[in-house]
Amino acid sequence: MTATLPATARVISQWLDQFETALKEGDIEQAAQLFGDESYWRDLIAFSWNIVTVEGRDGVRDLLASTLDRVRPHGFEVAEDLGEPAEAGGVAESWIRFETAIGRCVGHLRLRDGKGWTLLTTMYELIGHEEQQGDRRPRGAEHGANPNRQTWLERRTHEAEELGHTTQPYTVIIGGGQGGIALGARLRQLGVPTIIVDRNPRPGDAWRNRYKSLCLHDPVWYDHLPYIDFPKNWPVFAPKDKIGDWLEMYARVMELNYWGSTECRSAKYDETKGEWIVVVERDGAEITLRPQQLVLATGMSGKANIPTFEGMDVFTGDQHHSSQHPGPDAYRGKRAVVIGANNSAHDICAALWEGGADVTMVQRSSTHIVKSDSLMTIALGGLYSEEAVAAGMTTQKADLTFASLPYRIMHEFQIPVYDEIRKKDADFYARLGAAGFLLDYGDDDSGLFMKYLRRGSGYYIDVGASELVAGGDIKLESGVDVVRLTETGVVLTNGKELPADLVVYATGYGSMNGWAADLISQEVADKVGKVWGLGSNTTKDPGPWEGEQRNMWKPTQQQALWFHGGNLHQSRHYSLYLALQLKARMEGIPTPVYGLQESHHLR
Amino acid sequence: MTATLPATARVISQWLDQFETALKEGDIEQAAQLFGDESYWRDLIAFSWNIVTVEGRDGVRDLLASTLDRVRPHGFEVAEDLGEPAEAGGVAESWIRFETAIGRCVGHLRLRDGKGWTLLTTMYELIGHEEQQGDRRPRGAEHGANPNRQTWLERRTHEAEELGHTTQPYTVIIGGGQGGIALGARLRQLGVPTIIVDRNPRPGDAWRNRYKSLCLHDPVWYDHLPYIDFPKNWPVFAPKDKIGDWLEMYARVMELNYWGSTECRSAKYDETKGEWIVVVERDGAEITLRPQQLVLATGMSGKANIPTFEGMDVFTGDQHHSSQHPGPDAYRGKRAVVIGANNSAHDICAALWEGGADVTMVQRSSTHIVKSDSLMTIALGGLYSEEAVAAGMTTQKADLTFASLPYRIMHEFQIPVYDEIRKKDADFYARLGAAGFLLDYGDDDSGLFMKYLRRGSGYYIDVGASELVAGGDIKLESGVDVVRLTETGVVLTNGKELPADLVVYATGYGSMNGWAADLISQEVADKVGKVWGLGSNTTKDPGPWEGEQRNMWKPTQQQALWFHGGNLHQSRHYSLYLALQLKARMEGIPTPVYGLQESHHLR
């Protein structure tokens, strides 16, 4: 800190100096006094070995009282390499950097009236266990002469043959979608022996097997995997098969031990040995794996919610959950009824209509609709866009910026965004409403991303289907439910019977602990409780307030059981913290967990 | 240009202003007078639709007289986004940017005493035919409703089924190594329908099939392909199978039409139709392709030089060219004789020694040896290293910096580098010499890179074998030649007979027009003449001076026939200019060639 620093940088540096002094002296009260009445400290494993947000000075006191002795944080400074401190609207903010006794950390600080308002602290690297990249990258060729030389291919082949048979992985990841793959790549870089198990033959098949018109609804800048960015020619919204190819190639060049065509049959934690007994069937042969850590990366959209309607057994047409829908090819000239009005329902209805089917959407409750273009420019553009990249925004900075906004107040930042979108697209929403479509914008009008974080459902990012609904091309029955199916159709609560050759249940997905019930036991699933959601006490996200997403990327009530997933952004960003938690445990680094969540809901 | 510019930027800007004024006024003499007595203008297709260097004011006059009316260059300015102008040792230098009537261009200028000393001009983009990347990237998803929608996979599958059968590619590339793949990727981005033909089943097999200890001798920063950089965790010297996997992945995600397991049987140019008749055998079926352009990317190390020694027919052991060598596994305890003392010879000798064979290297003429570490730190480090990247050096800037040094004077920059290396590694060279190894540093002591550019042979980048030679572990017979083979060994000109179970001919590769002879005709091969080399009048690079590498990446004496290749750096950088030459021809943009090279040597 020097007198020549601009004013904002000086204010930030002074705060950091005072914070560091208080922490060094163990003066927790002094540290707490640096925060404002309203304040949030979000920590991603740097202090807490958890993903946790504490609130107010009491929260600061509590976090520090439990962790300060062990963490010994020091070297706080403005991280100028990430950008200059800035001030706007009475808030001074800056990237920061510091170290703990065991890790290198980066974070973000916002001051209001000179007091801490939001603090983000994240560990990105364990000292002494750095990833082999950049100036630490491996040499590849081993120079000199060595009669016992093994080539890269020999080592790789040997490892693949031994792992899971004569040697045991430290971690098994169930589910090889983008989540499992991103985590697997990080664990490979950290030297954590890992097997990824997936029922499909090839990485990417989970995408390839979906309905054929599927494209990512999130834009490319939001979707990068760790280590290898999508190239500059990659489409904004990647088609599913192209993503499939990318994941397959990524898994190969990142040298993941990916067991395709492998079903997990059961998993059981052996408390005595401190290891899991995971039974899988690989290409028809049963293999028992004994990893010390088990990660379920089965997809927050993994376990289908299939409703039970009277008459499903007598219906003579095709019926399936949206996750099983093969696309429209077989349904030209047929009558299709799609139950549901969220993303998959819209995509499937539009593809069926394009394929020449007669389509009716059955909307049982209101849906939040945002046009993709509006979402891109108004909601995401500042962090994830070509313009943001041109302005110097990196994926790391965008992810950390997003992470720096505490969930408790995130809706306050989101509400104005959706107010603007509603104004911009007023005609569009009016036409949809006139067609009878039931619209909402979230319980508190905070829009799509909060719905995603709270319940992971209840919205459609419009890429064209809404105009078909508004125009009557896709027929709509809204505010109704299904009474029963008949041999030839669907009877609704409004008394109508829709004749149907096909019924698609676009009825969403259940909590991921449903997978734990299937694979491990109902007892473990109940102990862990509901996965996902913030405890916001809004629809499908019951309280109490959790402050973070339940059970995701952090310790759960079941020892050595982890949940990983989310969209490509979350898979990328949070896989870092999950990977470091696993690495630390493998290395025997003490990882006392601050604030281990309780379970308040079974599913 | 403003008065507040620093002095060097002002000098550069003044020169550019004067140059632009002269060009706009068509005043060639005025433009020529801006160059010094000793001066070089290297043009990569921006003015010449050729790869050409002109020398002195006469060269400037000649180039402009032929091209100025058509090119209409304008908008010359310092390209500050690439870096600040700089001055050192009386030379002011700067990145520059300008446009022509048809293209966007970037370049580099060095002034000595205010006069042009070196000028590099390169076109990187045809106006109106920009690549679909960055803010021009494709959308991927087609929003809206479209009953005739084709998915990405359907389009891709359809294209692959039609191309080469019911539709014809504009370009066929023979050879799917890194050269063909890099060029194919650029052509795909430019919308030039292309088929890459390779005899091996999978992309990367040309690497996989080599001897098993092979690693790249060039470091990762030098080796990036276009569009997708190797990730930060990629090894410095990538093992061959890992490069193979990367190339396979790259070809897939870049959506190349790669015909593996396909042999080119013959090619003939139909002058009347202006197209090639290329007969290939794909998976056993004969297919005739009719592209308008044919690129041989068969590798400058593609066509093996197999010597003819008396007695090769009676020798009862194994004998093969280095390109066919399978590695040491079958030769434990056997006696191996390796004829040659360049890169492959050393690699193979070391691997055989490591594999427990008794190995003798037969060195017929002197070799240039550089230790890999010295090459990395002293010769390449400024442009291609982790430090260079950290200092802001990009691949584009490194490539253009390299390209900005005219070949005529490049050795002057290289000689001091190798002087330094000789001093640093004096002990090492002394030990090698004491073992009888015949050393050289190039005819004019300009070292490895000049040898590579002039003759593509005559060196070994030491990664360990030299210590085995110096220590006698690899036995050495130097300054000798082979008289004949017997049933059981090799007789040398020094009278010795070396008993041998294996003879490896590490005798290098012929000029690429040998491939043209095989595939097209001896007549076309002779018309085109020798490929590679600068005409430096040094060993294996006969004069007259060419100024550029013969026949590489530019028009040849055979219409519509092109040669592409080189190391990963060259494949990456020069594929851009070759791709633009092909694209312009496909679009019917006039491409009059300035300074089409004559052929002075048959091979």
Side-chain angles (χ1 to χ4, degrees), chain B residues 44-73:
Chain B
L44 308 182
I45 76 170
F47 283 71
S48 62
W49 278 118
N50 198 354
I51 293 182
V52 73
T53 302
V54 296
E55 300 189 4
R57 285 186 286 268
D58 280 350
V60 173
R61 286 184 195 103
D62 194 58
L63 175 58
L64 287 176
S66 293
T67 61
L68 185 55
D69 284 352
R70 173 180 57 77
V71 172
R72 284 183 281 135

Side-chain angles (χ1 to χ4, degrees), chain A residues 257-316:
Chain A
N257 291 298
Y258 191 99
W259 285 18
S261 302
T262 303
E263 288 248 24
C264 182
R265 293 291 176 214
S266 68
K268 185 173 160 43
Y269 192 61
D270 182 333
E271 300 273 353
T272 326
K273 293 192 175 168
E275 65 186 27
W276 288 90
I277 302 159
V278 181
V279 180
V280 304
E281 191 176 308
R282 187 184 192 193
D283 293 326
E286 195 171 286
I287 299 173
T288 300
L289 300 172
R290 294 180 173 273
Q292 287 173 266
Q293 308 288 341
L294 181 65
V295 180
L296 298 188
T298 38
M300 58 159 291
S301 304
K303 196 159 166 54
N305 258 342
I306 302 176
T308 49
F309 295 123
E310 185 190 330
M312 282 169 74
D313 53 335
V314 303
F315 179 65
T316 57

Side-chain angles (χ1 to χ4, degrees), chain A residues 228-489:
Chain A
I228 309 180
D229 279 1
F230 293 112
K232 281 190 294 183
N233 63 324
W234 199 258
V236 177
F237 302 104
K240 71 182 179 78
D241 295 284
K242 195 165 167 65
I243 283 285
D245 283 358
W246 183 266
L247 290 173
E248 185 174 355
M249 297 301 102
Y250 182 90
R252 170 99 76 92
V253 300
M254 297 307 287
E255 303 181 26
L256 307 190
N257 291 298
Y258 191 99
W259 285 18
S261 302
T262 303
E263 288 248 24
C264 182
R265 293 291 176 214
S266 68
K268 185 173 160 43
Y269 192 61
D270 182 333
E271 300 273 353
T272 326
K273 293 192 175 168
E275 65 186 27
W276 288 90
I277 302 159
V278 181
V279 180
V280 304
E281 191 176 308
R282 187 184 192 193
D283 293 326
E286 195 171 286
I287 299 173
T288 300
L289 300 172
R290 294 180 173 273
Q292 287 173 266
Q293 308 288 341
L294 181 65
V295 180
L296 298 188
T298 38
M300 58 159 291
S301 304
K303 196 159 166 54
N305 258 342
I306 302 176
T308 49
F309 295 123
E310 185 190 330
M312 282 169 74
D313 53 335
V314 303
F315 179 65
T316 57
D318 286 359
Q319 54 182 331
H320 45 240
H321 187 262
S322 57
S323 58
Q324 303 297 316
H325 181 66
D329 292 352
Y331 303 107
R332 178 172 298 277
K334 306 279 179 157
R335 292 159 306 184
V337 174
V338 177
I339 314 294
N342 289 338
N343 253 333
S344 297
H346 277 85
D347 275 353
I348 290 170
C349 284
L352 284 167
W353 178 85
E354 287 184 347
D358 174 272
V359 189
T360 304
M361 177 188 283
V362 176
Q363 184 184 26
R364 302 187 296 169
S365 57
S366 68
T367 305
H368 174 49
I369 307 275
V370 198
K371 288 170 79 78
S372 172
D373 286 344
S374 302
L375 191 68
M376 291 263 293
T377 51
I378 301 176
L380 277 180
L383 293 179
Y384 300 100
S385 67
E386 206 65 40
E387 295 70 34
V389 171
M393 180 57 74
T394 63
T395 305
Q396 182 202 18
K397 281 165 64 173
D399 288 352
L400 288 172
T401 302
F402 217 106
S404 75
L405 290 176
Y407 288 131
R408 176 77 92 175
I409 55 172
M410 192 178 272
H411 63 286
E412 295 173 17
F413 294 84
Q414 296 286 308
I415 290 168
V417 169
Y418 290 87
D419 283 349
E420 190 180 339
I421 289 176
R422 269 202 281 189
K423 204 175 295 171
K424 172 173 171 289
D425 296 328
D427 285 357
F428 166 76
Y429 289 120
R431 270 181 289 126
L432 264 181
F437 195 87
L438 304 177
L439 289 163
D440 72 66
Y441 302 87
D443 285 12
D444 52 1
D445 290 342
S446 60
L448 185 133
F449 201 71
M450 293 314 301
K451 268 202 167 184
Y452 173 74
L453 291 170
R454 290 165 173 174
R455 51 180 283 197
S457 67
Y459 50 82
Y460 167 55
I461 300 173
D462 178 40
V463 293
S466 291
E467 289 296 349
L468 295 175
V469 172
D473 298 301
I474 294 172
K475 295 168 191 163
L476 179 68
E477 295 291 339
S478 63
V480 297
D481 208 336
V482 173
V483 175
R484 66 175 183 280
L485 276 73
T486 65
E487 285 189 20
T488 56

